[in-house]
Amino acid sequence: MTRLRRRYLPRRRVLVFGVLVVAAAVAAGMVSTDRATRQAATAKLTATRLSIFQDKAPEAPSALQSRLDVLAAGYGEDVGIAVTDVASGWTAGVGQHRLYPQQSVSKLWVAIALMRAVDEGRIDLNAWVTMDDADRSVFFQPVVAEYRQGRYVTPVSDLLRRALVESDNAANDRLMRELGGPEGVRAALEDMGLTDVKVGAYERDLQAQTAGLSWRHEYGFGRNFQNAREALPMAVREAAADAYVSDPLDGASPAAITAALAALSRGALLSEESTLRITSLMTAARTGPRRLKGGLPPGWSIAHKTGTGQDFQGASLGINDVGLLTAPDGRTYAVAVMLPRTRHPVTARLAFMQSVSGAVVEQWMRDTGTTVAD
């Protein structure tokens, strides 16, 4: 957070000038009124972008911090947890400042970068794009089933929905292409002050590198990727997996993720319309119904994004769930749970994530004086 303040606070002095330049350009006929309006609006957003990052956020509740410590110790493996109160800014957590593999959590940053471009008038969600075999990715890519004669024509908005709701890898990779690739996404995130969350690479390149491969076009068909992976010497795969977990190309810390989610929730990153579109799609997510969501009682809601990495030697690399948990009274908490390399069975992983969301519910009950009977 300190780095974010250093980078952006000086820019506030020139924001008014930027807005005046846009106004002058409109008067001179240099840009359209609509585009100038969008630019002025995003300049205003930039001026308030870091309002979520208070100079001195209050300390996290000790009861919640103690509970998270106990849960993490009980799990018995390396875990990352962060819980941020969106309204007050406090953050509790375990390993919250370490970098962990995100896997498909990174699709969220691609979506935010895309909606930033929409706010600025650089991308039209209703624009049509054509996907073909060059857009194939790896693992889960249901959009490929829509191909007819090797092509699929669809609006950008459809790809956004597929990426966030279904976690479609090919849809996500194509959105990244529309943004100028990983470098374009990274530049957009940096412009918003999100310097501590990374996309790293196209999904297909990330998965290939994690397995010890370099992406090849034919890996996007059938089981070609899995067959190539299985043909590698075990030492190559072990080295690649260890390198990925220790220094993930798509790494982010739980605290950086919850800070970004809190900023999104407060409208500090995107326009109101774009914020609503992102959070609505996150609410409709079909993945991970028994992760964080499974620990919430009736009356609570969640807008979230999961991440699920490859299995190797009895372990799964990058099992995550991050999201915005909203209580019945509207109080919202940004939560991230990240398991970089877990050997526990799926039931134990789910129970752990649910226990974290349960701990958030318990803290809300303490804060509001709510009982189970209420």
Side-chain angles (χ1 to χ4, degrees):
M1 296 181 187
T2 302
R3 282 191 292 163
L4 292 179
R5 283 197 294 269
R6 281 203 301 265
R7 184 176 189 274
Y8 277 93
L9 285 178
R11 292 178 61 186
R12 295 181 181 179
R13 301 173 184 173
V14 299
L15 288 172
V16 173
F17 173 75
V19 174
L20 291 175
V21 168
V22 171
V26 172
M30 295 168 59
V31 295
S32 71
T33 302
D34 287 345
R35 184 172 180 81
T37 300
R38 294 190 187 100
Q39 290 174 333
T42 52
K44 181 179 178 181
L45 280 173
T46 302
T48 60
R49 186 163 293 131
L50 297 179
S51 60
I52 183 62
F53 302 115
Q54 302 177 11
D55 289 333
K56 188 176 181 181
E59 289 189 9
S62 59
L64 175 61
Q65 183 59 59
S66 297
R67 180 60 176 153
L68 296 181
D69 289 336
V70 169
L71 291 175
Y75 193 69
E77 291 181 345
D78 185 17
V79 300
I81 309 171
V83 177
T84 297
D85 184 296
V86 170
S88 68
W90 58 252
T91 298
V94 177
Q96 64 263 45
H97 299 300
R98 292 179 53 189
L99 295 181
Y100 295 94
Q102 292 186 87
Q103 289 293 311
S104 287
V105 168
S106 66
K107 290 183 173 73
L108 176 58
W109 317 127
V110 175
I112 289 174
L114 179 80
M115 295 312 300
R116 168 71 169 176
V118 170
D119 284 343
E120 294 178 338
R122 294 185 288 110
I123 286 182
D124 181 1
L125 284 177
N126 296 317
W128 294 84
V129 296
T130 300
M131 296 187 67
D132 56 29
D133 284 339
D135 293 304
R136 286 177 178 264
S137 187
V138 67
F139 300 139
F140 193 67
Q141 47 179 338
V143 67
V144 172
E146 303 293 337
Y147 281 19
R148 297 295 180 268
Q149 297 182 331
R151 299 169 70 247
Y152 177 55
V153 181
T154 191
V156 173
S157 59
D158 174 55
L159 298 183
L160 176 63
R161 180 192 61 79
R162 290 176 180 275
L164 286 183
V165 176
E166 302 175 5
S167 205
D168 188 305
N169 290 333
N172 183 72
D173 282 359
R174 181 52 191 265
L175 290 178
M176 291 180 70
R177 278 184 56 191
E178 296 296 314
L179 290 163
E183 296 78 11
V185 175
R186 180 165 54 250
L189 296 177
E190 289 179 352
D191 185 59
M192 287 184 281
L194 304 182
T195 57
D196 292 327
V197 295
K198 295 190 297 184
V199 171
Y202 289 111
E203 189 73 41
R204 60 193 186 188
D205 291 326
L206 175 71
Q207 298 303 333
Q209 179 175 315
T210 302
L213 296 165
S214 294
W215 178 257
R216 297 173 61 175
H217 173 67
E218 57 265 30
Y219 292 162
F221 296 82
R223 287 188 52 82
N224 289 345
F225 178 88
Q226 290 87 335
N227 293 338
R229 182 179 62 181
E230 292 166 7
L232 287 172
M234 189 59 64
V236 172
R237 294 193 61 188
E238 288 177 349
D242 289 345
Y244 174 61
V245 173
S246 63
D247 186 18
L249 185 61
D250 61 343
S253 70
I257 290 173
T258 58
L261 286 170
L264 174 69
S265 178
R266 289 178 56 147
L269 300 180
L270 302 170
S271 68
E272 182 177 357
E273 181 180 355
S274 293
T275 299
L276 179 60
R277 181 180 289 268
I278 290 284
T279 54
S280 295
L281 290 171
M282 292 170 66
T283 300
R286 298 175 184 172
T287 59
R290 296 171 59 202
R291 295 189 186 184
L292 287 174
K293 186 176 183 178
L296 296 176
W300 283 71
S301 63
I302 181 172
H304 68 135
K305 185 69 195 76
T306 58
T308 305
Q310 299 179 51
D311 294 332
F312 179 60
Q313 291 188 324
S316 297
L317 311 182
I319 305 299
N320 312 312
D321 198 6
V322 312
L324 293 164
L325 281 58
T326 301
D329 66 351
R331 189 173 306 195
T332 301
Y333 304 87
V335 180
V337 179
M338 310 183 79
L339 310 178
R341 180 170 3 210
T342 180
R343 297 181 182 278
H344 286 311
V346 172
T347 53
R349 304 172 193 179
L350 296 175
F352 176 68
M353 290 189 176
Q354 291 171 16
S355 69
V356 173
S357 49
V360 175
V361 172
E362 292 169 1
Q363 182 59 46
W364 172 79
M365 294 174 66
R366 282 190 292 269
D367 288 342
T368 60
T370 303
T371 64
V372 174
D374 294 337

